[in-house]
């Protein structure tokens, strides 16, 4: 399965990139990068460092939007209550002399998915600015992308404001454009699913024992995430954290890892209190046609097995 992965690398994006680059069933064609967890220059450098760390520098990286479409609080509007420590700016990986391509990520997306028979899935695990820009550049983009997997939104769970998940909150206008652009097959992996696929300190110990470059790098990132969650946002399992973006890749490899429902999802862009909230019509009261397959649950043990087995590869 070929995929293009749009990232705002960040600690969980880094684990997703390594799974996508290493798993034998996947062919990571390219990474596109967007402003999100950090400004786009840091996210681009982090993406290059991750690929270099696992000896996959041949995979091209395209840098994209440096700001959200409409909000003016950028780079990356941070939730004042969530410390930068979850991601930081530069990941703890050696620098690389690999360079990003010169073409803008949004233009690469348009050109790549215009190719007939590309047979490629687009996976978006950051704010949706690049995807929305591609929809705006090319009226056929949504039609050309036959399958789109998004990490974003939440029904019973938020993580940035009282009502919003970070990727949708960081660029709500982009999320609203993408959710209504007419993609025929969107799979939305929400916080409700990622919070059921928690990774623990014990899993980190197994990663260290595995000892591969990807396992050791992922252990650093995941342990950092658990440390922050233990201090600021304890999860249901003691000593654990969600690794949101990695679950998207897990679900691409094994769709049985998540449970989905065909529902209508929209994104709030107007109300200051709830901007970025995903409105997931679980009881189908809106009389609006379902526009995506929403994952609200996940198989934690199956995900952990796949995560460990994939990161053990070199
Ligand atoms: O809310 C989780 C999402 O926001 C993840 O993609 C994480 O990397 C951040 O971008
Ligand atoms: Ca991300």
């Amino acid at each position: 399965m070929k995929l293009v992965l749009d990232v705002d690398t960040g600690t969980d994006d880094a684990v997703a990139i390594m799974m996508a680059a290493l798993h034998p069933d996947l062919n990571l064609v390219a990474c596109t990068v967007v402003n999100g967890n950090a400004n786009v220059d840091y996210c681009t450098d982090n993406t290059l460092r991750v690929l270099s760390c696992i000896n996959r520098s041949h995979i091209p990286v395209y840098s994209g939007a440096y700001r959200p479409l409409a909000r003016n609080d950028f780079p990356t509007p941070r939730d004042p209550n969530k410390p930068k420590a979850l991601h930081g700016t530069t990941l703890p990986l050696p620098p690389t002399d690999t360079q990003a391509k010169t073409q803008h990520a949004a233009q690469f997306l348009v050109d790549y998915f215009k190719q007939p028979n590309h047979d490629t899935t687009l996976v978006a695990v950051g704010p949706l600015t690049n995807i929305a820009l591609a929809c705006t550049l090319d009226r056929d983009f949504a039609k050309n992308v036959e399958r789109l997997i998004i990490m974003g939104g939440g029904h019973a769970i938020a993580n940035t404001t009282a009502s919003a998940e970070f990727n949708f909150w960081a660029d709500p206008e982009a999320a609203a454009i993408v959710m209504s652009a007419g993609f025929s097959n969107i799979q939305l992996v929400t916080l409700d699913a990622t919070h059921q696929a928690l990774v623990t300190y014990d899993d980190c110990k197994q990663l260290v024992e595995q000892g591969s470059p990807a396992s050791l790098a992922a252990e650093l990132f995941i342990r950092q995430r658990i440390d922050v969650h233990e201090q600021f946002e304890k999860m249901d399992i003691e000593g654990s954290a969600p690794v949101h973006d990695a679950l998207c890749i897990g679900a691409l490899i094994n769709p049985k890892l998540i449970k989905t429902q065909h529902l209508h999802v929209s994104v709030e862009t107007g109300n200051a209190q709830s901007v970025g909230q995903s409105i997931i019509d679980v009881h189908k009261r809106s009389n609006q046609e379902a526009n995506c397959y929403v994952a609200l649950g996940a198989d934690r043990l199956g995900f952990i097995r796949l995560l460990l087995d994939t990161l053990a590869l070199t």
Side-chain angles (χ1 to χ4, degrees):
M1 281 176 281
K2 295 195 292 184
L3 73 145
V4 170
L5 184 55
D6 190 77
V7 292
D8 61 329
T9 310
T11 48
D12 58 328
D13 307 70
V15 180
I17 292 167
M18 294 192 288
M19 287 180 73
L22 291 169
H23 196 279
D25 293 356
L26 299 183
N27 171 3
L28 180 55
V29 171
C31 289
T32 52
V33 190
V34 66
N35 166 70
N37 287 318
N39 79 39
V40 72
D41 297 331
Y42 281 121
C43 295
T44 302
D45 178 51
N46 287 335
T47 304
L48 293 164
R49 287 177 184 238
V50 170
L51 290 168
S52 178
C53 157
I54 58 168
N55 198 24
R56 295 301 190 279
S57 292
H58 64 280
I59 296 171
V61 175
Y62 295 84
S63 195
Y66 74 91
R67 60 156 294 162
L69 294 184
R71 301 174 65 123
N72 287 313
D73 50 346
F74 70 92
T76 316
R78 291 302 306 175
D79 163 20
N81 304 317
K82 175 87 47 87
K84 280 186 185 293
L86 201 53
H87 300 285
T89 47
T90 299
L91 290 179
L93 291 174
T96 175
D97 52 13
T98 321
Q99 299 290 312
K101 299 299 178 189
T102 53
Q103 187 177 38
H104 190 283
Q107 191 59 60
F108 164 77
L109 290 169
V110 166
D111 295 350
Y112 179 84
F113 282 95
K114 203 186 285 263
Q115 297 173 100
N117 312 314
H118 57 71
D119 192 23
T120 303
T121 298
L122 176 55
V123 182
V125 295
L128 292 168
T129 318
N130 286 337
I131 317 306
L133 284 172
C135 291
T136 310
L137 284 170
D138 177 3
R139 73 190 69 196
D140 293 330
F141 182 70
K143 181 169 62 64
N144 294 341
V145 176
E146 288 122 15
R147 186 178 180 205
L148 171 60
I149 300 177
I150 297 171
M151 193 281 131
H155 180 57
I157 302 175
N159 69 355
T160 299
T161 64
S163 56
E165 174 278 326
F166 177 77
N167 286 338
F168 280 17
W169 180 77
D171 195 340
E173 288 73 17
I177 287 169
V178 171
M179 293 312 293
S180 58
F183 289 94
S184 60
N185 181 357
I186 297 179
Q187 183 171 290
L188 183 68
V189 180
T190 68
L191 292 176
D192 305 71
T194 65
H195 282 222
Q196 287 188 21
L198 298 170
V199 188
T200 67
Y201 281 131
D202 284 347
D203 299 323
C204 286
K205 286 190 187 110
Q206 287 193 61
L207 286 168
V208 172
E209 281 160 24
Q210 293 185 170
S212 65
S215 295
L216 295 176
E219 192 274 341
L220 271 179
F221 306 142
I222 296 171
R223 184 158 37 84
Q224 176 177 328
R225 295 180 63 81
I226 300 173
D227 292 347
V228 172
H229 273 277
E230 283 295 284
Q231 205 177 351
F232 295 97
E233 186 186 357
K234 271 187 174 298
M235 307 308 289
D236 290 347
I237 299 176
E238 184 74 22
S240 74
V243 188
H244 312 281
D245 301 343
L247 181 61
C248 288
I249 303 302
L252 180 60
I253 298 163
N254 177 4
K256 293 192 177 70
L257 288 184
I258 55 173
K259 298 182 262 318
T260 62
Q261 298 174 52
H262 198 205
L263 299 169
H264 182 269
V265 177
S266 57
V267 182
E268 175 62 57
T269 55
N271 180 318
Q273 290 303 311
S274 53
V275 66
Q277 181 180 10
S278 54
I279 295 98
I280 303 176
D281 189 8
V282 292
H283 300 295
K284 304 185 179 179
R285 293 197 178 102
S286 71
N287 291 326
Q288 298 192 67
E289 210 176 304
N291 58 350
C292 73
Y293 296 89
V294 185
L296 294 168
D299 165 10
R300 185 182 97 78
L301 293 179
F303 170 64
I304 295 298
R305 188 66 268 143
L306 180 62
L307 177 80
L308 294 173
D309 290 351
T310 306
L311 295 173
L313 301 170
T314 55

